Structures are given as structure tokens and as C-alpha cells.
Amino acid sequence: MQTVVVGTSGTTADDVIAVAREGARIELSAEAVAALAAARGIVDALAAKPEPVYGVSTGFGALATRHISPELRAQLQRNIVRSHAAGMGPRVEREVVRALMFLRLKTVASGHTGVRPEVAQTMADILNAGITPVVHEYGSLGCSGDLAPLSHCALTLMGEGDAEGPDGIVKPADELLADHGIEPVELREKEGLALLNGTDGMLGMLVMALADLQRLYVTADITAALSLEALLGTDKVLAPELHAIRPHPGQAVAAANMSAVLKGSGLTGHFQEEEAPRVQDAYSVRCAPQVAGAGRDTLAHARLVADRELASAVDNPVVLPDGRVESNGNFHGAPVAYVLDFLAIAAADLGSIAERRTDRLLDKNRSHGLPPFLADDAGVDSGLMIAQYTQAALVSEMKRLAVPASADSIPSSAMQEDHVSMGWSAARKLRTTVANLSRILAVELYAATRAIELRRGLTPAPASQAAIEALRAAGVEGPGPDRFLAPDLEAADAFVRDGKLIAAVEPVTGPLA
């Protein structure tokens, strides 16, 4: 099993994926343990002074004006976790909870939070044991951190609330900790606050969305190429010299991917041999690299923001190397929220153009010789008519989800927190968007491969043939009379989602970017 070592200088997207999705084990570096101990010494020294220090010897948020006496401080830290663990709604996915726990540990290990080494070790132990706190959909405004989600995780650390064990069964947290020989943590000054005050949930979801979208953008280039081929379109628009004169990096990559898939095709270029020859293909075909390319450039920007955040220590207040403990606004989720919304916009447009290509394949007036709805016996058979309805419904939802969450703000904490990012909400809707995009591309793949097979007498590109054969081997049937379609579409979605389409094509094309 892979081991991820957490140090003082942040983490990587690969490490987040390894912990969240692959169950990688976590170790604290000696450097991190030393930094934790040093910062804790500073906090302990401040706690012993009579002067109030926010988060150490005061209340929180709008209640920060109250100085808390030493005998009440442990209760203060417990209370902030209990009161802030106020989430509602459906449970959040296990991978999201693991990502946010790991990212909180990343910040704790930086030595800027004042948390004791034993607290950080317990966080690692819980992750390594496969214990996943029950976290709910609603409770974060994306400012002062993902407060309710992180609080539910901190509650497990204290041996309170509910959590899911490695067997998938939800039990009281104290029982799960005892089952794995983990002692609950008794929080001290500042520790409760430090466990709650970060952008970890929205960042974890951003990192995973970036990984998923990278795969889906490559997939979209393949399905666009298959649709172009099925429509007897021209690949001349993919020539690198055309994209060099509008030098957006992602556009050139998308065009190169499509060209690689179409190399050796016997279907492209027939658009001028028809009874009504075309001068140009429709936008949804001809402009595929421009739309997918703009989305790729959006991914690159979002990845830059994610990398900066992965290198950050997000807490308030923070312990600085010179011994100061200073309040700040680094917990504000705006940088992450903006790119989460930006990705949803780009993904919605990619889904939209894919749906337009699918609709063209199914329309006998625009498909250039294909049967209506790719049906076996049109009229008796409906073919893929309702598969396109499903695809259109998914696109419509993506367009609604493209409305930015980060443009909203609802003041909280008696107007102390009077501008919030709504980044958690942006992340949650992006997860739905990513899942929808996979399904939309699966429908395009299903339609395009069927259409190519219906072009009898014409030979597809070797990469296209490899894609068709792999899809059929995965249990997704080809042309024929109507049948129960939902299982085929679900299998096609799994084929896309698991990267099997890319895996089928790349042995022919070489690596696609």
C-alpha cells in the first residue's frame, strides 16, 4: 500500500487522490512533528499570559470579545466543535471526507496552527484505520473554512458523533476508535478552532474534479472525432497550422488529439461527394477543438490555483516563525470558489456541444445518410431517440448548475462574517456536473460507434475501430432492433468514467494529452 508522508510544506494533488480514493497510509515526517511541537510551545506561552489572544483565550467570531479563563478553555474548545457540527442533509461521499481530513492534517502539520503533535497523529491514525466521519451536505458557507463539515470530522477525533468504519457500517465514533485502539483527543487551547478553520472540503473536491475532468476532456476529443467520422466530416480543420494562428494552448492539444484518433480513416472527407455537398461541417463538429481547448485552458488555470492552495497553511489565527500569533483572512474561499464555478461553466459547454453532435447523428435530415435515430427499422424501432432526451436533460441540468455560487454571499455570525465565498456549494454542484458530463459523453460514444458501424463499406480509423471493439467487449451492444437501453448506457458510462475508452485508443494513437 502506498504511503504518503506529510511534511511542513504542503502536499500534492496526487497525494490527495491517493489518500481520498486509494486508501493510502499517512505518516508524519520528523520535520512536521518538530514544527508542531515548536508552534505548540508558542501557543502554551501565550495561553499563560493574562492578555487575551484570539482563539487561544477568547471566544470566536462575534463572541471574540469575551476573555476565557484557563479553567474554561478545554470546555471552550470542545464546545466550538460540538456547536459547529451542525450540518444537515444527505451524507457527503467518503472520498470527499477523506480528502478534507487529509488536507486539514496538511495544514496542521505545517507548524502554523499551534496544534499538538499527538492531535495530528490521531488525525493520521483515524484516516489509516479507514474511519470516515459522517459529514452532511449543508453547513459550509466557504468562509472561516468549511466549518460544519470540518467540525463533524473533529467530533470524531474527540470520540463523539457518528462515523463509518472500514466495513461501511456507521457506528458511534467512540466505539470505532476503541475498535482500532485509538484514544479520543482532549482538545486544548486553540486546537478546536484550528481543526475547523480551512478551505479543505472545497479544495479536496477541486483536486478530484480536476483529475476527473482531465480524463473527460481527453474522452471528449475521442468522441468528437468519432462523431466527425460518423458524419463523414472533414479532418482538414484539425491541421496544426490552422490552430497555430490562434495560439490558445488547449485548442492545439484538442485538435492534435482528434487528428491522432482520425489518422487512417476511410470515412472522413466524403462531405463533398454527396448529392448536396457541404462546404463546411456544422459548428458542433468543426469547432470542437475550440470549445474543448478553452475548457482545457480553464483546467490549467484551476490547477494553478489548486497547487497554490495545496502549498498553503490556512488557519486563523496563525503561528508565525517569529513567535507572533496573528489573525488573518486566509480562510476565505474566494480563490477556490471562483475556479470551481469556472470549471462548471466550461464543463457545461463541453456537454452542450457533445449533445448537439449526438442530435445531428440521429436526425436523418442532417446525418448524411444514416437511418433516423440510428434505428434498425425506423417506425417499428425508435433507436436512440430517448437516449438523446436523457442526454439533453443532463445538459439542461449542467446549464443550471453553471450559475456561479461564488456570486452569492449571505452574512453570518451577527455580521462579523459579512462576506462569504459559498465555495463549498460551488464544489458540490461541480461534482454533479462532472458526473453528468461523463454520462453525456457516454451517450455520444454510444451513438457515434453505432453510426460508424452503420456506414457499411467504409473503413473507420484504426483508433476508432479499437474503441468500438473495446466497447463491444465491455458488453455494450452495437446496431440492432430496439432493446432495454438503460443497461447499455450505464455500461457505456462506466467505460468512459473508468478511462477504458482512452486505454483502448492510446495503444493506436500514442499518449493523448
Side-chain angles (χ1 to χ4, degrees):
M1 181 179 292
Q2 181 180 349
T3 298
V4 170
V5 178
V6 181
T8 60
S9 56
T11 190
T12 67
D14 287 344
D15 284 347
V16 175
I17 298 292
V19 172
R21 291 180 165 171
E22 299 162 18
R25 291 188 60 79
I26 299 162
E27 291 181 4
L28 295 174
S29 71
E31 176 194 28
V33 173
L36 284 159
R40 185 64 207 179
I42 294 170
V43 170
D44 286 341
L46 289 170
K49 293 183 177 180
E51 297 84 7
V53 177
Y54 177 70
V56 176
S57 54
T58 71
F60 309 112
L63 302 175
T65 55
R66 178 176 171 183
H67 183 261
I68 307 299
S69 60
E71 65 273 12
L72 293 176
R73 289 176 190 171
Q75 181 181 340
L76 170 69
Q77 301 301 320
R78 287 195 301 273
N79 285 352
I80 189 175
V81 172
R82 290 167 175 166
S83 65
H84 286 43
M88 295 182 72
R91 282 182 58 191
V92 171
E93 303 86 354
R94 182 177 186 269
E95 66 177 18
V96 172
V97 179
R98 285 184 62 83
L100 78 89
M101 289 174 68
F102 173 66
L103 288 167
R104 194 70 222 138
L105 176 58
K106 174 267 297 182
T107 282
V108 165
S110 70
H112 291 295
T113 67
V115 168
R116 289 169 293 152
E118 51 265 43
V119 176
Q121 185 59 57
T122 304
M123 295 170 74
D125 292 342
I126 288 173
L127 281 164
N128 290 340
I131 297 171
T132 306
V134 171
V135 173
H136 299 280
E137 181 83 14
Y138 303 104
S140 172
L141 301 180
C143 206
S144 287
D146 290 316
L147 287 174
L150 284 163
S151 297
H152 282 276
C153 294
L155 203 64
T156 296
L157 201 67
M158 293 163 47
E160 299 182 18
D162 292 327
E164 180 186 292
D167 57 2
I169 298 173
V170 174
K171 296 168 62 176
D174 58 344
E175 293 182 21
L176 283 170
L177 295 184
D179 289 345
H180 291 85
I182 301 171
E183 286 291 327
V185 168
E186 184 74 33
L187 298 176
R188 289 170 44 181
E189 291 93 343
K190 194 185 179 299
E191 289 179 335
L193 184 62
L195 295 175
L196 317 185
N197 216 341
T199 55
D200 308 293
M202 63 184 96
L203 176 58
M205 286 186 274
L206 172 60
V207 168
M208 289 186 284
L210 286 168
D212 294 340
L213 287 169
Q214 173 62 33
R215 181 178 64 256
L216 291 175
Y217 270 87
V218 176
T219 299
D221 294 337
I222 298 171
T223 60
L226 293 170
S227 291
L228 183 153
E229 201 171 18
L231 292 165
L232 306 178
T234 177
D235 58 354
K236 291 183 178 180
V237 296
L238 305 175
E241 56 269 25
L242 295 176
H243 299 278
I245 62 175
R246 195 190 190 195
H248 294 290
Q251 178 179 321
V253 170
N257 282 350
M258 289 181 66
S259 289
V261 174
L262 292 170
K263 186 177 181 180
S265 174
L267 280 80
T268 57
H270 292 274
F271 67 111
Q272 291 185 334
E273 300 173 7
E274 302 168 351
E275 293 181 9
R278 286 168 281 162
V279 177
Q280 303 175 119
D281 289 318
Y283 283 12
S284 61
V285 177
R286 185 169 19 126
C287 301
Q290 285 76 11
V291 172
R296 268 190 172 78
D297 294 341
T298 302
L299 280 179
H301 171 61
R303 196 171 289 115
L304 176 64
V305 172
D307 287 345
R308 289 171 177 163
E309 198 76 357
L310 288 167
S312 300
V314 179
D315 193 15
N316 178 50
V318 292
V319 181
L320 296 174
D322 61 8
R324 285 180 295 151
V325 175
E326 297 284 3
S327 291
N328 66 89
N330 284 342
F331 50 74
H332 200 288
V336 182
Y338 293 166
V339 294
L340 287 162
D341 280 331
F342 199 178
L343 290 173
I345 292 168
D349 201 33
L350 188 64
S352 179
I353 197 171
E355 183 275 329
R356 288 293 80 204
R357 291 190 294 264
T358 306
D359 182 66
R360 186 166 288 273
L361 289 167
L362 272 53
D363 183 351
K364 70 180 182 64
N365 297 311
R366 295 179 291 138
S367 66
H368 311 288
L370 291 168
F373 303 105
L374 306 181
D376 187 62
D377 183 5
V380 175
D381 295 311
S382 295
L384 306 191
M385 180 191 295
I386 307 305
Q388 185 268 331
Y389 282 36
T390 298
Q391 193 185 41
L394 291 162
V395 171
S396 182
E397 182 176 48
M398 289 176 75
K399 291 176 180 178
R400 294 193 300 273
L401 294 173
V403 176
S406 58
D408 187 27
S409 176
I410 297 182
S412 55
S413 193
M415 293 299 287
Q416 175 71 8
E417 299 167 10
D418 58 352
H419 184 276
V420 297
S421 78
M422 304 305 295
W424 173 273
S425 299
R428 295 306 295 165
K429 67 185 182 67
L430 179 60
R431 284 183 69 83
T432 302
T433 290
V434 170
N436 282 0
L437 179 58
S438 177
R439 297 179 182 114
I440 289 164
L441 295 177
V443 174
E444 182 181 19
L445 174 67
Y446 191 76
T449 53
R450 176 183 281 212
I452 289 171
E453 289 179 303
L454 289 170
R455 296 286 190 191
R456 296 180 178 91
L458 295 174
T459 304
S464 302
Q465 187 62 40
I468 293 169
E469 290 174 1
L471 185 63
R472 301 293 172 252
V476 180
E477 296 185 33
D482 281 356
R483 56 183 173 269
F484 181 24
L485 208 52
D488 269 3
L489 297 179
E490 178 57 37
D493 180 36
F495 190 77
V496 165
R497 190 174 60 245
D498 296 341
K500 292 179 181 176
L501 176 60
I502 299 170
V505 166
E506 284 190 328
V508 180
T509 62
L512 299 175

